[in-house]
């Protein structure tokens, strides 16, 4: 079958599940954009800048499985790169397509705009190679083969890939046979050995536990993990990067695990376990209570996407999906293993507050938790919002979207655009601080433009409270401009003014929650606090960060 390179690329993207491409038009990608507009079942979503486009694609991919971004060469590439690096760090599959100068310009080293005007067309590719699973520059002689190679790499690694698309080849015809998808089947003998290894560990274990990390989202393993835990009656906990990927209810759910930053009952259970089955676990500072995980020596069974490591033995050539399935089948229809269990009920330390306190973040988060309902998509930006939501009890079938590893402030607002378009029938609830909001505020206009069903809670505490908790509580460098936040929705969209409210006390909050609960479309609630008001967990986190970054000789913040 022969078809144009542009048609071939769009067809491949559809086969991998892409139905939306986020981005910004530029002179090197306009012909491809024309083709997108004529292609059924795939839609271009214009954003205010390329950084926000990649964040939106990230939010989309976390719910739909894959995201796509279209930028123009150089300025667009590098604008999006921080978000692409974040997707790489957090394991989010994205396809980044860069419309670049025509091949004749590349081959003649022409000095064109959006380059350094030095004839070098490899520097941007060099940047992207650091943060992608694969990259390529399309050429008619190899376009189909290279497209399949790169997309297969994304499917296997579940991380971003990068395609440079010269502007003059969109309608060049090439052979385009059906793609051959990369096999992810396990070697039978190695899988049998891994099953035997894990079975032996479980047979000896008196207190096993499963730890869930982002791998479960990357490879869509939530149902398999739950079946495995239920079949073997193994309690499970989730790192902050693994929240809501498996049901957070029932007798086997322990709560969030983050080292000594966990609820005491959860930390005690995990740290006493003689068999800790880590599913893709990475103990990053921000997900481990600053490396305060205290796993017993020899207790860890490390299950990664394509390997198992236990007691010094490393088994490659398997997949985590096949391993979990084989373990469930091995157990068969026997009754679940009976184990002596200690019921763990994780508290919500971030939501506790001193007796008699009438207003403050503790009162706010305590009131907001019952506002959330089953099936909501909840987004929380880095800072007090994420700290609070990571300690909250979320209703059934909620999805929590946070970015604890890359931890870029401003991520959640454009990510909410992608989440809304990926799951338009669900209600979306965004919690974002004023400092984070100022990073990417323009994308509020896109939420209005696409009539997204979302409630935005803007936490206005006069600057970077999370940084104040680390250092400089009264320092000017942690201050930001004081915007009239509640006035912005009306300014950023035409038509009827969206619902926009200001809240400064408990009574106003109750009235606002009642109004937005039944509202369709975008509702914006600005919630005011003093600069050092924060969830209960943030002061301790700030102290841990301060000591790790600057040493124990640094005075504690007042």
């Amino acid at each position: 079958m022969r078809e144009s390179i542009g048609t071939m690329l769009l067809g491949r993207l559809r086969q991998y599940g892409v139905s939306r491409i986020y981005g910004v038009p530029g002179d090197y990608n306009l012909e491809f954009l024309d083709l997108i507009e004529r292609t059924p079942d795939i839609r271009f979503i214009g954003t205010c800048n390329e950084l926000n486009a990649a964040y939106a694609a990230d939010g989309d991919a976390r719910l739909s499985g894959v995201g796509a971004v279209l930028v123009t060469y150089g300025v667009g590439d590098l604008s999006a790169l921080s978000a692409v690096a974040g997707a790489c760090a957090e394991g989010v599959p994205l396809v980044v397509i860069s419309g670049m100068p025509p091949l004749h310009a590349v081959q003649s080293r022409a000095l064109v705009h959006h380059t350094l005007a030095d004839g070098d067309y490899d520097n941007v590719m060099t940047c992207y190679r650091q943060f992608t699973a694969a990259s390529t520059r399309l050429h008619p002689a190899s376009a189909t083969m290279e497209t399949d190679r790169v997309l297969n790499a994304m499917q296997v690694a579940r991380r971003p890939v990068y395609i440079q698309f010269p502007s003059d080849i969109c309608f060049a015809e090439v052979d385009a046979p059906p793609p051959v998808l990369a096999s992810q089947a396990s070697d039978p003998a190695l899988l049998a050995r891994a099953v035997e290894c894990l079975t032996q560990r479980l047979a000896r274990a008196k207190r096993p536990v499963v730890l869930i990390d982002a791998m479960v989202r990357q490879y869509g393993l939530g149902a398999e993990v739950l079946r495995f835990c239920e079949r073997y009656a193994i309690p499970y906990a989730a790192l902050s990067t693994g929240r809501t990927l498996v049901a957070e209810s029932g007798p086997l759910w322990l709560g969030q695990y983050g080292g000594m930053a966990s609820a005491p009952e959860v930390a005690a259970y995990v740290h006493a376990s003689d068999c800790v089955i880590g599913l893709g676990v990475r103990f990053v500072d921000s997900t481990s209570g600053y490396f305060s995980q205290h796993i017993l020596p020899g207790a860890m069974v490390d299950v990664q996407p394509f390997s198992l490591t236990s007691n010094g033995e490393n088994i490659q050539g398997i997949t985590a999906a096949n391993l979990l399935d084989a373990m469930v089948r091995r157990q068969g229809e026997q009754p679940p293993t009976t184990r002596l269990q200690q019921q763990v009920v994780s508290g919500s330390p971030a939501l506790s507050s001193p007796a008699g306190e009438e207003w403050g973040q503790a009162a706010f988060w305590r009131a907001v938790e019952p506002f959330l309902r089953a099936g909501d998509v909840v987004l929380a930006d880095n800072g007090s919002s994420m700290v609070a939501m990571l300690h909250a009890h979320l209703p059934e079938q909620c999805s929590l979207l946070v970015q604890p590893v890359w931890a870029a402030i401003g991520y959640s607002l454009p990510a909410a655009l992608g989440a809304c378009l990926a799951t338009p029938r669900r209600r979306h609830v965004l919690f974002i601080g004023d400092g984070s909001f100022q990073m990417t505020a323009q994308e509020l206009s896109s939420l209005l433009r696409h009539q997204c069903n979302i409630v935005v809670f803007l936490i206005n505490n006069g600057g970077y409270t999370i940084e104040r908790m680390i250092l400089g509580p009264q320092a000017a460098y942690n201050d930001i401009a004081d915007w009239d936040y509640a006035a912005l929705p009306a300014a950023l969209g035409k038509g009827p003014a969206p619902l926009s409210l200001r809240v400064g006390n408990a009574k106003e909050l109750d009235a606002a929650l009642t109004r937005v609960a039944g509202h369709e479309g975008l509702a914006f609630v600005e919630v005011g606090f003093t600069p050092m008001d924060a969830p209960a967990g943030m002061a301790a986190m700030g102290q841990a960060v301060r000591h790790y970054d600057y040493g124990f000789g640094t005075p504690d913040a007042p």
Side-chain angles (χ1 to χ4, degrees):
M1 177 180 177
R2 289 187 65 81
E3 59 187 3
S4 73
I5 293 175
T7 301
M8 177 274 299
L9 177 55
L10 290 175
R12 258 56 174 178
L13 291 175
R14 287 295 299 123
Q15 288 173 313
Y16 278 86
V18 173
S19 56
R20 291 164 296 279
I21 301 177
Y22 300 85
V24 178
D27 57 333
Y28 298 132
N29 64 29
L30 294 177
E31 200 166 63
F32 187 52
L33 276 169
D34 270 346
L35 181 60
I36 292 172
E37 289 208 340
R38 300 197 303 271
T39 302
D41 302 323
I42 198 159
R43 184 163 59 126
F44 177 72
I45 309 295
T47 58
C48 297
N49 58 54
E50 293 87 356
L51 175 69
N52 291 356
Y55 281 149
D58 179 304
D60 191 320
R62 290 180 189 236
L63 296 174
S64 68
V66 62
V69 187
L70 177 63
V71 300
T72 200
Y73 186 74
V75 291
D77 286 313
L78 298 186
S79 175
L81 186 56
S82 177
V84 176
C88 183
E90 303 255 335
V92 180
L94 300 182
V95 185
V96 183
I97 304 164
S98 172
M100 73 174 302
L103 276 179
H104 67 79
V106 176
Q107 291 165 354
S108 66
R109 297 174 60 87
L111 309 185
V112 303
H113 66 284
H114 293 341
T115 74
L116 299 183
D118 59 359
D120 184 353
Y121 286 91
D122 294 328
N123 46 20
V124 174
M125 179 75 80
T126 298
C127 293
Y128 265 82
R129 283 186 181 131
Q130 317 308 311
F131 305 105
T132 54
S135 58
T136 191
R137 178 179 298 158
L138 296 186
H139 187 281
S142 57
T144 303
M145 178 178 65
E146 282 294 285
T147 298
D148 289 344
R149 177 184 69 83
V150 168
L151 294 181
N152 270 327
M154 178 193 68
Q155 187 70 1
V156 172
R158 304 294 168 95
R159 280 180 165 78
V161 293
Y162 177 61
I163 297 173
Q164 290 186 342
F165 193 167
S167 62
D168 58 345
I169 67 168
C170 184
F171 292 108
E173 286 199 351
V174 295
D175 288 326
V180 178
L181 302 182
S183 172
Q184 297 185 42
S186 301
D187 177 280
L190 292 171
L191 179 62
R193 174 59 194 145
V195 168
E196 186 62 28
C197 178
L198 184 51
T199 300
Q200 291 175 0
R201 288 298 304 269
L202 286 174
R204 297 193 300 268
K206 296 180 179 179
R207 191 184 176 96
V209 68
V210 166
L211 294 183
I212 297 165
D213 209 336
M215 180 189 78
V216 175
R217 169 184 48 76
Q218 288 175 275
Y219 293 88
L221 301 178
E224 289 85 348
V225 171
L226 185 59
R227 282 197 294 269
F228 170 71
C229 291
E230 290 177 340
R231 183 65 64 189
Y232 289 88
I234 306 174
Y236 58 92
L239 278 70
S240 58
T241 37
R243 286 291 308 271
T244 69
L245 301 177
V246 180
E248 297 189 350
S249 60
L252 297 179
W253 167 243
L254 298 180
Q256 180 184 319
Y257 175 73
M260 296 307 294
S262 317
E265 301 87 354
V266 177
Y269 197 97
V270 173
H271 296 164
S273 173
D274 56 350
C275 179
V276 180
I277 303 170
L279 300 180
V281 166
R282 299 179 298 170
F283 289 122
V284 180
D285 56 2
S286 56
T287 67
S288 66
Y290 267 74
F291 309 113
S292 61
Q293 74 277 7
H294 299 307
I295 309 301
L296 291 176
M300 194 73 183
V301 179
D302 183 21
V303 179
Q304 294 296 333
F306 305 106
S307 68
L308 177 145
T309 303
S310 174
N311 289 335
E313 181 180 7
N314 177 261
I315 302 170
Q316 299 284 338
I318 65 168
T319 73
N322 290 161
L323 176 61
L324 292 168
D325 180 63
M327 289 296 296
V328 169
R329 285 188 286 104
R330 182 184 179 109
Q331 187 74 349
E333 297 303 320
Q334 303 173 32
T337 302
T338 301
R339 300 183 190 278
L340 181 64
Q341 299 270 336
Q342 170 190 341
Q343 181 67 34
V344 175
V345 180
S346 172
S348 297
L351 304 184
S352 61
S353 61
E357 182 179 53
E358 294 185 359
W359 181 243
Q361 285 218 25
F364 170 73
W365 297 112
R366 199 167 52 248
V368 159
E369 191 172 296
F371 169 79
L372 301 175
R373 61 195 186 205
D376 281 350
V377 177
V378 181
L379 300 100
D381 216 282
N382 192 40
S384 57
S385 298
M386 186 165 68
V387 170
M389 278 297 104
L390 288 176
H391 288 90
H393 293 294
L394 298 175
E396 292 289 324
Q397 299 177 325
C398 271
S399 298
L400 178 64
L401 273 60
V402 290
Q403 198 197 46
V405 177
W406 191 243
I409 67 170
Y411 158 80
S412 65
L413 179 59
L417 172 65
C420 286
L421 295 179
T423 55
R425 291 181 177 84
R426 298 174 70 178
R427 185 180 73 163
H428 300 74
V429 183
L430 166 63
F431 300 96
I432 184 169
D434 49 352
S436 299
F437 181 79
Q438 289 194 11
M439 290 278 183
T440 53
Q442 316 97 313
E443 232 51 58
L444 188 64
S445 64
S446 297
L447 291 168
L448 291 164
R449 177 184 181 187
H450 292 282
Q451 300 179 323
C452 294
N453 186 28
I454 184 169
V455 182
V456 179
F457 289 98
L458 188 286
I459 312 301
N460 183 356
N461 46 21
Y464 300 124
T465 294
I466 189 170
E467 311 295 354
R468 297 186 200 276
M469 291 287 179
I470 299 170
L471 204 66
Q474 282 85 41
Y477 55 73
N478 283 324
D479 297 337
I480 61 174
D482 187 15
W483 291 8
D484 187 355
Y485 296 100
L488 283 176
L492 292 176
K494 291 188 175 181
L499 178 60
S500 188
L501 306 170
R502 284 189 179 87
V503 166
N505 57 54
K507 183 177 180 180
E508 291 174 351
L509 176 62
D510 288 343
L513 292 178
T514 300
R515 289 190 66 184
V516 302
H519 183 75
E520 289 293 326
L522 186 142
F524 188 93
V525 184
E526 178 186 349
V527 191
F529 302 105
T530 57
M532 291 300 288
D533 189 4
M538 262 182 72
M541 184 189 75
Q543 184 180 45
V545 175
R546 181 168 59 256
H547 289 167
Y548 188 85
D549 288 353
Y550 302 109
F552 283 87
T554 303
D556 285 344

